[in-house]
C-alpha cells in the first residue's frame, strides 16, 4: 500500500471548516484513499473513502486531486467532539493483495478550540 | 455504536498467564480483523479472517493466536504474557475484503 504523509497536528476553531491534507504521491490506480479517526483511546471510526471522484457523506467531504497524489478531508462545521487523531490510509480494493489490512501512520492530531 | 462488540472491556493479569479476547462482528460482516495499540508502537494490524479462514497476518507474535468460528465471532488468544503485551486490542469487521472496517470499543489488557 502507498505511503501517506500527514501534518502531525492542526488546530481549528469550533464552527469553522477543518481541512486535513494528506499526500500519497505513490498511490497506485487500484488504491482507495480511506480516512479514519480515533477519539482518545476509543476504537477508530471510519469516516469516508474515495478512488478519484470527490465524495461526501454525513460526516465529511473528501477531495482528491486529479493526479490522485493528494487529498483533503473536510469537516464542514467542526465541533469540540471532532477533536481526534485523523488517519489517511491508501488501501487496495478487494481485488488487490492487501486483503484490507489497514496500516496506520502517525496521523494528524486535530484540536478543535471553542 | 459501531455494532462490533468486544469482551471484556478491561483485563488485568500477571506475566506468564494466558487470556482470551472475544469479538462479535457487525451483523452480516464476514471479515474480522485484530489490531494492537500500544503507546510506543501505535495501531498495528495483527491478523485477519474472512468467513472462518485466515487471510492475512501482520506483526502477530507466535505466542498469539486467533480463530474465527462458524458463527463468525472471533477470539484472540494471548499466552505467556509479558509486560510489553499491555495494550489496547481492537477488533474490526467489514462486509468483505477491502471494504471499510468498523471497530469495536477495544479490550484494555494490563499485564503486571
Amino acid at each position: 500500500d502507498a505511503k501517506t504523509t500527514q501534518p502531525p497536528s492542526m488546530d481549528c476553531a469550533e464552527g469553522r471548516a477543518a481541512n486535513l491534507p494528506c499526500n500519497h504521491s505513490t498511490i497506485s490506480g487500484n488504491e482507495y484513499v480511506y480516512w479514519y479517526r480515533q477519539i482518545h483511546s476509543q476504537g477508530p471510526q471510519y469516516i469516508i473513502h474515495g478512488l478519484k471522484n470527490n465524495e461526501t457523506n454525513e460526516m465529511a467531504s473528501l477531495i482528491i486531486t486529479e493526479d490522485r497524489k493528494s487529498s483533503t478531508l473536510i469537516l464542514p462545521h467542526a465541533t469540540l467532539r471532532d477533536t481526534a487523531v485523523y488517519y489517511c490510509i491508501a488501501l487496495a480494493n478487494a481485488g488487490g493483495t492487501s486483503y484490507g489490512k489497514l496500516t496506520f501512520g502517525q496521523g494528524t492530531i486535530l484540536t478543535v478550540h471553542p | 455504536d459501531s455494532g462490533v462488540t468486544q469482551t471484556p472491556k478491561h483485563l488485568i493479569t500477571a506475566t506468564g498467564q494466558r487470556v482470551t479476547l472475544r469479538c462479535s462482528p457487525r451483523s452480516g460482516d464476514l471479515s474480522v480483523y485484530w489490531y494492537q495499540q500500544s503507546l510506543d508502537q501505535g495501531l498495528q494490524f495483527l491478523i485477519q479472517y474472512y468467513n472462518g479462514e485466515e487471510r492475512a497476518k501482520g506483526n502477530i507474535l507466535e505466542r498469539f493466536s486467533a480463530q474465527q468460528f462458524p458463527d463468525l465471532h472471533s477470539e484472540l488468544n494471548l499466552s505467556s504474557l509479558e509486560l510489553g503485551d499491555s495494550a489496547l486490542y481492537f477488533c474490526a469487521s467489514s462486509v468483505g475484503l477491502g471494504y471499510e472496517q468498523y471497530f469495536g470499543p477495544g479490550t484494555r489488557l494490563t499485564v503486571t
Side-chain angles (χ1 to χ4, degrees):
Chain A
D1 300 326
K3 181 177 163 57
T4 61
T5 304
Q6 301 176 250
S9 64
M10 292 184 66
D11 290 334
C12 178
E14 190 177 21
R16 304 298 292 270
N19 298 296
L20 292 90
C22 179
N23 285 320
H24 31 78
S25 58
T26 61
I27 197 167
S28 59
N30 69 339
E31 286 184 308
Y32 287 75
V33 178
Y34 277 81
W35 284 84
Y36 287 80
R37 72 180 182 183
Q38 185 177 26
I39 298 170
H40 182 62
S41 294
Q42 295 181 21
Q45 179 186 22
Y46 164 76
I47 301 173
I48 199 168
H49 74 280
L51 184 62
K52 52 185 177 181
N53 296 322
N54 298 339
E55 302 287 346
T56 295
N57 63 19
E58 65 278 4
M59 286 184 69
S61 295
L62 174 60
I63 309 296
I64 303 174
T65 58
E66 195 169 338
D67 62 8
R68 300 207 333 117
K69 292 186 177 181
S70 66
S71 60
T72 301
L73 177 74
I74 302 172
L75 306 179
H77 305 287
T79 71
L80 298 179
R81 288 180 296 178
D82 292 322
T83 293
V85 182
Y86 287 76
Y87 298 97
C88 168
I89 301 170
L91 184 67
N93 62 15
T97 59
S98 70
Y99 298 113
K101 57 186 178 188
L102 296 172
T103 301
F104 290 87
Q106 297 304 306
T108 296
I109 300 171
L110 175 68
T111 304
V112 181
H113 297 286
Chain B
D1 183 358
S2 67
V4 177
T5 60
Q6 291 187 247
T7 56
K9 283 190 168 55
H10 302 277
L11 200 47
I12 301 174
T13 189
T15 55
Q17 295 299 304
R18 173 190 169 93
V19 297
T20 297
L21 312 183
R22 182 187 168 101
C23 168
S24 292
R26 293 187 321 159
S27 177
D29 284 358
L30 297 178
S31 198
V32 168
Y33 312 75
W34 287 97
Y35 294 83
Q36 178 193 56
Q37 186 171 33
S38 58
L39 281 174
D40 55 346
Q41 295 290 329
L43 263 163
Q44 291 205 309
F45 168 78
L46 294 179
I47 197 164
Q48 177 199 21
Y49 284 85
Y50 177 76
N51 205 20
E53 290 187 15
E54 181 186 304
R55 297 303 296 266
K57 260 186 176 178
N59 301 319
I60 187 166
L61 300 172
E62 285 191 11
R63 300 183 285 107
F64 296 1
S65 64
Q67 55 182 324
Q68 186 180 26
F69 295 86
D71 67 353
L72 301 177
H73 91 271
S74 177
E75 292 180 357
L76 178 67
N77 300 297
L78 315 176
S79 61
S80 303
L81 285 167
E82 302 175 359
L83 296 177
D85 298 325
S86 295
L88 271 166
Y89 291 85
F90 292 106
C91 166
S93 73
S94 65
V95 64
L97 299 175
Y99 289 83
E100 60 271 22
Q101 296 176 29
Y102 294 87
F103 285 75
T107 293
R108 182 177 293 280
L109 173 66
T110 302
V111 182
T112 62

